[in-house]
Amino acid sequence: MSIKYYAKISGTGMSVPEKVLTNFDLEKIVDTTDEWIRTRTGMSERHIASKNEAASDLAYNATLKAIEAANIRNKDIDMIIVATISGDHPFPSTACIIQQKLGLKGFPAFDVSAGCTGWIYASNIAKQYIENGVAENILVIGVEILTKITNWKDRGTCILFGDGAGATIISRAGERDISRFIDSELSADGTHYDLLIQQAGGSRIPASNESVGENLHTVYMEGNKIFKNAVRSMYHACDVVLKRNHLDVHSIDWLITHQANLRIIQALGKKLKIDDKKVIVNIEKYANTSSATIPMALDEAIRNGKIQHGDLVLLASFGAGLTSGSLLLRI
C-alpha cells in the first residue's frame, strides 16, 4: 500500500514524580553501594511515585506539555495510544482514563503491552494511522510506575527502576515539512518470554495469598541473558532500517536507545560504530522507566536544544516478550 501522508512528531512532553531516591538511599534498603550501582548501571538516582500517584497522573501531566509544544487543542486529538505494563488498572486501559482526563470521547483509545519497547510499538501503530489518512493527530504515551511492582528485597532489580512518563503528539506532516517518520522495524522473540516477567496477577497465576507471599507480582529478570539479547536485537533493528534507506551510521545526528543500563547503551554504540557524542543518555537521573525512557530522553534533548529541527534521529529499544524495535525519523 502506498503512503497517502507522512507522519511526524509535532510535540513532546515528560513528567516524573517529585520524590527522588538516590543510590545512597538504596544503601539503607538493600546490600548495595552507590559505587556498585553507578559502575554497573550508570544510574545515580530515580524518581519514585507517591502512594497516591498512578500512571495516568504522570501521563496526563506529560500530555499537557506535549499538546502545548505541538500547538494544538485537546479536541484536535483523534486517537490515544498508551504504552505501559504498569497502568492504573489491569482494565480499563490507561488510554481511556487519559481520554476522560482530557475531557474527550468518541475516538479510539487503547493500551499497548510491549514492555520497554512499548513506545516504539505504539508510535509505529500511530504512524500507520497517520499515513493511511485515518487520523491527523495521535497522542502516544510511554508511562510506567515500575516501583510499585518492584521487589525491594531483590538487590539485583530494585536498583534499576524509576517512574516517569513521556508523551508525544504524532501528526500529519505538511507537503513542505521536512519533519517525518522515515522507517521503522518491529520484532519479537517469544521463545525468551520468561526472562523478564511479572508472573502473577493474570490468568496463569491469579492473585492469592501465596502469590503475594512469594513476590510473584513483582518484576523478575535474568539480567545477564537480557543484556546479550538487548544488544543483539537493537543492533539488528537499527541495521535493518539504515540499510533499507541506504544510510550508514555517519548519516545519523542522534541515537536514542532504551535507557536500561549504561553498559548496554555503550555496547550498542560500539557495535554500531557511532560517535559517543551522538548518543543521548539520561539514565543517571531517571534510571530505567521502561516504555517511558525514549520519549522522556527525546523530550529532554529537544527542550535543552541538543536535538534541533531537521536532525536525523535513530531510536531503538528492547523489552519483555522479548520485543525489540527501531524508528528512524527527522525531527
Side-chain angles (χ1 to χ4, degrees), residues 301-320:
I302 290 173
R303 289 179 185 268
N304 66 23
K306 185 172 284 188
I307 294 180
Q308 301 279 332
H309 177 60
D311 283 353
L312 193 61
V313 183
L314 180 60
L315 313 170
S317 190
F318 72 97

Side-chain angles (χ1 to χ4, degrees), residues 182-201:
I182 298 169
D183 201 357
S184 60
E185 177 72 12
L186 299 181
S187 187
D189 182 359
T191 60
H192 300 295
Y193 81 90
D194 55 350
L195 296 181
L196 180 52
I197 189 172
Q198 182 184 359
Q199 298 182 65

Side-chain angles (χ1 to χ4, degrees), residues 206-220:
S208 65
N209 290 333
E210 290 76 16
S211 67
V212 173
E214 295 175 19
N215 274 317
L216 298 182
H217 295 267
T218 58
V219 176
Y220 169 81

